[in-house]
Amino acid sequence: MGLKHITLILALAVLLAGCSSHEYGGGRYDSQQRHKQEITTPGKKLVALKERLNLTDEQVQKMKPVLEEEYRQLKSLQNEGGNFKDISKKKSDIDWEVYKQLNKILTEKQMYDYLKYAEEQRNNQRPSFSNGPGGGPGRGGMPGGGPGGGPGGGMF
């Protein structure tokens, strides 16, 4: 199996992990939570990725419309509100489309590094429920541990 296949499998695993980590919320995704998660603008994302992935000018030009469309879709999704599980599914669908398009632009190593970057960004944007209703120390929290509820201590 080539590195390209391994990279695609890794991308799918990252997406599935992102979906499953968001399954704990079944309620509405309120505006306060939405506004906590700032969406990185395409310009800022391109600057970071150009340096991190050593992108050529040609790659930057090809990525720009992909990241602009991703940003437009994420902003629209952010403004929709709704069920957290549904929003997480739509976000994963957007991510998958971006990965497929970037896979045509980036080298195998760059794609691997992009997936690591995307996972770091996802981890930095997960909402914290430790101070929410019933989520303080020793009260409630997620089943099986996690913030505010039993063993685990960490986010997941």
Side-chain angles (χ1 to χ4, degrees):
M1 186 178 320
L3 187 55
K4 198 84 159 176
H5 289 103
I6 292 170
T7 303
L8 284 174
I9 291 169
L10 178 61
L12 184 56
V14 166
L15 284 171
L16 291 174
C19 281
S20 65
S21 70
H22 289 108
E23 297 273 331
Y24 54 80
R28 290 202 48 86
Y29 191 54
D30 69 24
S31 61
Q32 188 177 13
Q33 286 175 314
R34 271 199 311 264
H35 295 298
K36 284 183 185 177
Q37 296 183 1
E38 183 178 322
I39 299 172
T40 306
T41 63
K44 286 182 182 179
K45 195 169 187 177
L46 269 174
V47 168
L49 290 173
K50 181 171 182 166
E51 181 178 324
R52 184 162 179 166
L53 305 180
N54 296 316
L55 298 174
T56 66
D57 291 338
E58 181 181 352
Q59 286 175 313
V60 169
Q61 291 306 310
K62 288 180 180 179
M63 286 179 68
K64 186 176 181 182
V66 174
L67 297 181
E68 287 172 344
E69 178 61 16
E70 173 195 35
Y71 181 79
R72 187 192 66 72
Q73 289 181 11
L74 291 174
K75 284 303 256 186
S76 174
L77 184 60
Q78 186 180 49
N79 293 329
E80 278 180 24
N83 182 289
F84 190 78
K85 186 175 179 180
D86 292 341
I87 289 174
S88 293
K89 166 73 170 98
K90 290 176 185 176
K91 167 88 170 71
S92 292
D93 291 344
I94 293 168
D95 289 346
W96 181 244
E97 287 304 315
V98 170
Y99 294 148
K100 288 192 307 187
Q101 292 177 45
L102 293 183
N103 198 40
K104 297 173 187 174
I105 299 168
L106 301 175
T107 66
E108 293 174 21
K109 170 136 179 35
Q110 287 172 323
M111 191 64 191
Y112 178 79
D113 290 342
Y114 175 80
L115 292 171
K116 290 194 301 189
Y117 166 85
E119 181 64 17
E120 290 169 10
Q121 295 302 305
R122 188 175 3 270
N123 288 338
N124 290 336
Q125 291 183 352
R126 285 191 178 137
S128 172
F129 294 100
S130 60
N131 294 325
R139 298 188 308 266
M142 297 184 308
M155 183 70 180
F156 298 105

